[in-house]
């Protein structure tokens, strides 16, 4: 049996990632490709109410380890699907931790590069690497307006600042830069760009 494929979609909330992941996996199935859609955090993720919305160093460290623990199990399942010949579309993976938790954790390191390198080192227990990472790029203002969070409150501004840091961190990751797609366009146009990137790189159809 031929080995399958592992495609990851990344981006800020509001980038259209979840809708694109769903539409993409439907499209692959229509092309007679044995595709499966999955996401992180998984449903097994231990949601700690104490950490919800916290942006400090300790909470981010704890979240990083919790997301990583979830990913260790998830990557075993994904690896099995890929070995069975399935094409796995995964909504978020390691790069979400590097961007979201990394943008806070890295401030305690000598440099951002050192921080990301440390997070990658910890994540080496996860042997599975995506064949392709597609990063849906959107500016944080558009992301905020799409998810209709309040922009005029103090917490809205804090959130915007955070999303700016997250996006900047995403843009430093080679995997995301290589697979970057402008997601400020309509969902249809963005989906077409995603399909053509996959077609040209993986030749699945
Ligand atoms: P949700 O499934 O509840 O929508 O959670 C998605 C949120 O989780 C999103 O805001 C990004 C965040 N997240 C991280 O901060 N780090 C991670 O490693 C992952 C997988 C998600």
């Amino acid at each position: 049996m031929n080995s399958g494929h592992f495609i990851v979609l990344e981006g800020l909330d509001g980038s259209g990632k979840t809708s694109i992941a769903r539409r993409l996996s439907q499209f692959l199935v229509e092309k007679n490709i044995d595709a499966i859609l999955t996401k992180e955090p998984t449903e097994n993720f231990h949601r700690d109410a104490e950490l919800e919305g916290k942006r400090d160093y300790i909470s981010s460290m704890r979240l990083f380890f919790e997301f990583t623990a979830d990913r260790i199990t998830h990557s075993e399942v994904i690896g099995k699907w890929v070995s069975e010949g399935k094409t796995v579309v995964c909504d978020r993976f390691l790069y979400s931790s590097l961007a979201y938790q990394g943008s806070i954790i890295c401030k305690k390191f000598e440099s951002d590069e050192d921080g990301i390198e440390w997070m990658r080192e910890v994540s080496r227990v996860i042997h599975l690497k995506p064949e392709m990472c597609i990063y849906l790029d959107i500016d944080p203002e558009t992301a905020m307006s799409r998810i209709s969070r309040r922009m005029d409150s103090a917490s809205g501004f804090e959130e915007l600042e955070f999303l700016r840091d997250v996006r900047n961190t995403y843009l430093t990751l080679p995997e995301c830069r290589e697979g970057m797609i402008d997601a400020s366009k309509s969902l249809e146009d963005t989906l077409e760009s995603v399909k053509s990137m996959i077609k040209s790189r993986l030749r699945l159809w």
Side-chain angles (χ1 to χ4, degrees):
M1 190 193 301
N2 286 336
S3 164
H5 302 275
F6 177 30
I7 303 166
V8 163
L9 286 173
E10 286 285 353
L12 297 180
D13 296 299
S15 60
K17 183 178 49 54
T18 301
S19 310
I20 300 257
R22 196 180 56 242
R23 296 274 299 274
L24 173 65
S25 60
Q26 281 163 357
F27 168 80
L28 294 173
V29 169
E30 281 158 22
K31 290 276 173 197
N32 286 323
I33 294 163
D34 189 4
I36 191 158
L37 174 64
T38 186
K39 74 172 278 281
E40 288 191 7
T42 69
E43 55 192 26
N44 299 323
F45 180 71
H46 166 69
R47 277 184 196 276
D48 190 338
E50 206 191 308
L51 301 177
E52 289 283 320
K54 291 268 180 67
R55 305 279 191 238
D56 60 285
Y57 173 71
I58 296 291
S59 306
S60 300
M61 268 292 185
R62 285 176 56 186
L63 275 170
F64 171 53
F65 283 109
E66 287 182 13
F67 282 121
T68 302
D70 185 43
R71 189 164 301 127
I72 288 170
T73 316
H74 193 207
S75 63
E76 290 290 318
V77 179
I78 297 172
K80 187 169 165 291
W81 284 331
V82 173
S83 70
E84 289 167 358
K86 294 189 187 341
T87 293
V88 180
V89 175
C90 187
D91 180 351
R92 296 195 182 281
F93 196 62
L94 167 67
Y95 315 104
S96 284
S97 290
L98 301 182
Y100 280 78
Q101 282 65 58
S103 67
I104 294 166
I105 290 173
C106 287
K107 293 188 176 121
K108 290 268 185 182
F109 283 77
E110 289 255 303
S111 67
D112 290 352
E113 292 75 29
D114 276 1
I116 295 291
E117 206 181 297
W118 176 81
M119 294 177 83
R120 285 190 189 268
E121 190 61 33
V122 171
S123 302
R124 272 182 56 196
V125 289
I126 298 156
H127 300 291
L128 187 73
K129 298 273 170 297
E131 202 171 345
M132 242 188 115
C133 169
I134 297 174
Y135 166 62
L136 300 177
D137 186 52
I138 191 171
D139 65 73
E141 289 79 3
T142 312
M144 286 276 285
S145 66
R146 282 192 189 171
I147 54 182
S148 60
R149 287 191 190 147
R150 282 168 49 224
M151 299 275 293
D152 56 348
S153 69
S155 67
F157 282 117
E158 275 166 27
E159 187 64 15
L160 187 58
E161 280 305 302
F162 174 63
L163 292 181
R164 283 187 179 131
D165 286 348
V166 174
R167 184 199 194 193
N168 288 338
T169 310
Y170 264 132
L171 293 174
T172 66
L173 306 175
E175 296 89 343
C176 292
R177 277 210 309 267
E178 273 163 31
M180 184 156 78
I181 281 177
D182 174 11
S184 63
K185 302 173 289 184
S186 69
L187 197 74
E188 281 313 318
D189 288 350
T190 308
L191 179 62
E192 284 312 309
S193 305
V194 169
K195 285 185 204 166
S196 64
M197 188 183 273
I198 294 175
K199 188 168 197 265
S200 67
R201 295 216 191 149
L202 302 184
R203 311 228 165 266
L204 292 180
W205 67 92

